[in-house]
Amino acid sequence: MQAKTILNNQSLSFLEKYLNNASPTGVEKEGQKLWMDYIKPYVDTLFTDTYGTAVAVINPDADFKVVIEGHADEISWYVNYISDDGMIYVIRNGGSDQMIAPSKRVNIHTNNGIVKGVFGWPAIHTRLRAGKDEPTPKLENIFIDCGCDSKAEVEALGVHVGCVITYPDGFEILNDNKFICRALDNRMGGFMIAEVARLLKENNKKLPFGLYITNAVQEEVGLRGAEMITQTIKPNIAIVTDVCHDSTTPMIDKKVEGDAKIGLGPVITYAPAVQNNLRDLIIDTATTNNIPFQRLASSRVTGTDTDAFAYSNGGVASALISLPLRYMHTTVEMVHRNDVENVIKLIYETLLTLENNHNLSYFE
């Protein structure tokens, strides 16, 4: 199976619809519905937990359980304060970047539907007056203007403290093979694990273990969805996919961030949370199947749902396969199509390898 044959028109149509739908942390419901509708034909059963993590299961009666996981939520903002003159001030919901906010259009999610607005910013002419320091965007000074003249007018639109705010920036393909959008971190993970389920079904592969394809919520605020669902599933093995930084663009120090580049393959992480035998099995699988890959080292934590799975239930053998990405937590996140397809292929082939070697005792 060649990587270039993995994605089809149906896959890409779902990907565009899935990415263009908003799925802010804590309010992932509509995105989860899209994901479950897409994956349903390829699995035996589906369930969700109290906070909305979605799990699609193949072979649910098996005693041995393997998780493949991505997270469903995207960074966003909360309405925190509405001034008397109708300007809206915000707090973060996840790792939202105040530096990119000025001049961005936004969607404010209300019970009345979407309210449009913009992050305003003073014109360059007024910022560069003699004797004034150039202001920089901070949580205290960024604000949203939705065209209202008063707090009462804003509230009449249905906007109130606690409404979530997302960017509307949609999916595009740049130069034939670069996918760009907001929230590729980590909606791409949910997409890739769904594609693994599709391939297993279409290739009529029967696994000797239960496969729990898990699209977790609330990763962006501390791995919370994974913390909850791992207690429910109680897996034996967890293979997590998330994104990592392409360190080849300007202003990034490779000595700090490591050396990874989009287009050169999935990134396999070395870290205390990564179980050595599982990582080595993934590397052997990549080598055997001629799947290009890169390596990354993390210190105390990986910063991904891998940590939540690894240290749960008395210890779960866990590993992390990352998709290299440019411009993380912006509205122009960028990944390479070849990497997307090779992550899918690597997870798929690893599951087939696990057929005959899924106990993974640390002392083997």
Side-chain angles (χ1 to χ4, degrees):
M1 180 176 58
Q2 297 298 315
K4 66 180 181 180
T5 67
I6 288 177
L7 301 185
N8 57 32
N9 290 336
Q10 180 186 5
S11 303
L12 293 174
S13 177
F14 164 65
L15 177 61
E16 181 169 8
K17 186 177 181 181
Y18 186 48
L19 288 172
N20 288 347
N21 174 81
S23 190
T25 300
V27 196
E28 301 93 344
K29 182 177 180 180
E30 295 306 316
Q32 296 293 62
K33 287 180 179 178
L34 292 174
W35 186 84
M36 288 188 290
D37 285 345
Y38 179 74
I39 203 172
K40 185 175 181 179
Y42 310 128
V43 300
D44 296 320
T45 188
L46 290 148
F47 69 89
T48 58
D49 74 359
T50 305
Y51 279 83
T53 289
V55 184
V57 189
I58 297 172
N59 197 15
D61 295 328
D63 292 332
F64 198 91
K65 299 175 182 179
V66 176
V67 161
I68 58 174
E69 192 259 13
H71 74 81
D73 57 316
E74 65 180 285
I75 56 173
S76 57
W77 303 96
Y78 276 123
V79 175
N80 188 50
Y81 169 71
I82 305 170
S83 68
D84 290 341
D85 58 356
M87 295 302 174
I88 298 169
Y89 293 82
V90 300
I91 58 172
R92 293 184 177 94
N93 185 19
S96 302
D97 186 351
Q98 78 279 359
M99 295 297 290
I100 71 161
S103 81
K104 295 297 298 182
R105 300 170 190 264
V106 298
N107 289 336
I108 307 171
H109 298 258
T110 79
N111 291 335
N112 299 333
I114 297 295
V115 172
K116 297 289 185 178
V118 298
F119 270 110
W121 194 245
I124 188 170
H125 316 71
T126 65
R127 298 198 318 266
L128 297 182
R129 300 298 188 199
K132 286 191 175 182
D133 292 331
E134 175 78 3
T136 58
K138 302 174 184 177
L139 274 182
E140 309 91 77
N141 64 15
I142 59 173
F143 61 92
I144 292 171
D145 184 342
C146 54
C148 295
D149 294 324
S150 68
K151 179 177 181 178
E153 196 175 343
V154 171
E155 291 177 336
L157 295 174
V159 177
H160 56 76
V161 170
C163 286
V164 292
I165 303 156
T166 59
Y167 297 116
D169 302 67
F171 174 72
E172 294 183 39
I173 299 177
L174 189 66
N175 196 26
D176 294 330
N177 57 18
K178 311 300 189 308
F179 297 162
I180 59 169
C181 194
R182 63 169 224 300
L184 297 186
D185 173 16
N186 181 36
R187 215 77 57 78
M188 289 304 307
F191 170 73
M192 292 186 298
I193 58 177
E195 289 298 279
V196 172
R198 177 178 67 83
L199 293 178
L200 290 168
K201 181 73 170 183
E202 291 178 352
N203 295 326
N204 197 31
K205 297 296 184 181
K206 306 296 183 184
L207 299 173
F209 46 77
L211 181 64
Y212 290 71
I213 304 147
T214 302
N215 207 16
V217 298
Q218 297 194 29
E219 187 271 352
E220 297 290 355
V221 291
L223 322 181
R224 300 308 186 189
E227 284 183 357
M228 290 183 278
I229 201 62
T230 188
Q231 303 299 332
T232 300
I233 299 171
K234 296 190 178 344
N236 301 95
I237 290 173
I239 299 172
V240 173
T241 184
D242 207 322
V243 296
C244 66
H245 300 289
D246 176 324
S247 59
T248 66
T249 56
M251 297 184 287
I252 297 181
D253 187 348
K254 291 182 181 179
K255 294 188 292 295
V256 175
E257 301 296 342
D259 189 2
K261 182 177 181 179
I262 63 171
L264 297 185
V267 180
I268 299 173
T269 293
Y270 290 71
V274 172
Q275 206 256 11
N276 293 334
N277 287 343
L278 180 56
R279 182 200 59 237
D280 290 346
L281 182 143
I282 292 169
I283 290 172
D284 290 345
T285 300
T287 302
T288 300
N289 290 277
N290 297 312
I291 302 170
F293 69 92
Q294 305 173 77
R295 303 177 200 256
L296 182 69
S298 293
S299 182
R300 294 177 62 87
V301 297
T302 69
T304 72
D305 283 341
T306 311
D307 303 328
F309 280 97
Y311 301 127
S312 70
N313 299 297
V316 174
S318 300
L320 174 60
I321 301 173
S322 296
L323 178 68
L325 173 142
R326 289 180 173 174
Y327 320 123
M328 193 180 296
H329 285 202
T330 74
T331 58
V332 291
E333 294 180 338
M334 179 188 297
V335 297
H336 199 296
R337 174 175 177 150
N338 290 353
D339 293 335
V340 173
E341 293 183 317
N342 278 315
V343 169
I344 295 166
K345 184 178 180 184
L346 181 53
I347 296 173
Y348 174 87
E349 296 291 352
T350 298
L351 293 175
L352 299 185
T353 303
L354 280 171
E355 280 189 277
N356 300 315
N357 186 19
H358 56 264
N359 287 319
L360 288 170
S361 168
Y362 183 79
F363 294 107
E364 283 180 343

